[in-house]
Amino acid sequence: MPLVQISIPAGSLSQEQKALMVAKVTDACVEAEGVPAVRQFTWVHINEVPDGGWGMAGRALTLEQMKAALAPRG
């Protein structure tokens, strides 16, 4: 019975994006296990971390700082 926990910044994904993530992660678990019946027993838990609750390289980051770091440079 797979249990997958995913942490994301609060407000970074829409409800539709979260639903798609749950569906795709469930599909990946079923594929990895190789047992189609595992789908009905697969749990995906999305944890939304409050803004500023993330840290990397010794400093707390906000969602806006994360978005800026991921933005294409040019």
Side-chain angles (χ1 to χ4, degrees):
M1 172 178 353
L3 167 61
V4 180
Q5 294 189 16
I6 301 168
S7 295
I8 61 170
S12 64
L13 295 180
S14 68
Q15 193 59 41
E16 293 80 18
Q17 289 170 311
K18 287 187 262 184
L20 182 59
M21 183 175 287
V22 168
K24 288 187 174 196
V25 168
T26 300
D27 290 345
C29 289
V30 172
E31 182 180 339
E33 295 246 356
V35 180
V38 80
R39 178 175 303 281
Q40 64 184 340
F41 301 108
T42 300
W43 292 80
V44 179
H45 187 187
I46 297 177
N47 302 299
E48 291 196 87
V49 178
D51 199 31
W54 292 87
M56 185 174 80
R59 67 171 222 207
L61 297 173
T62 65
L63 178 55
E64 288 307 313
Q65 289 170 316
M66 286 186 218
K67 286 180 179 178
L70 293 172
R73 302 180 192 261

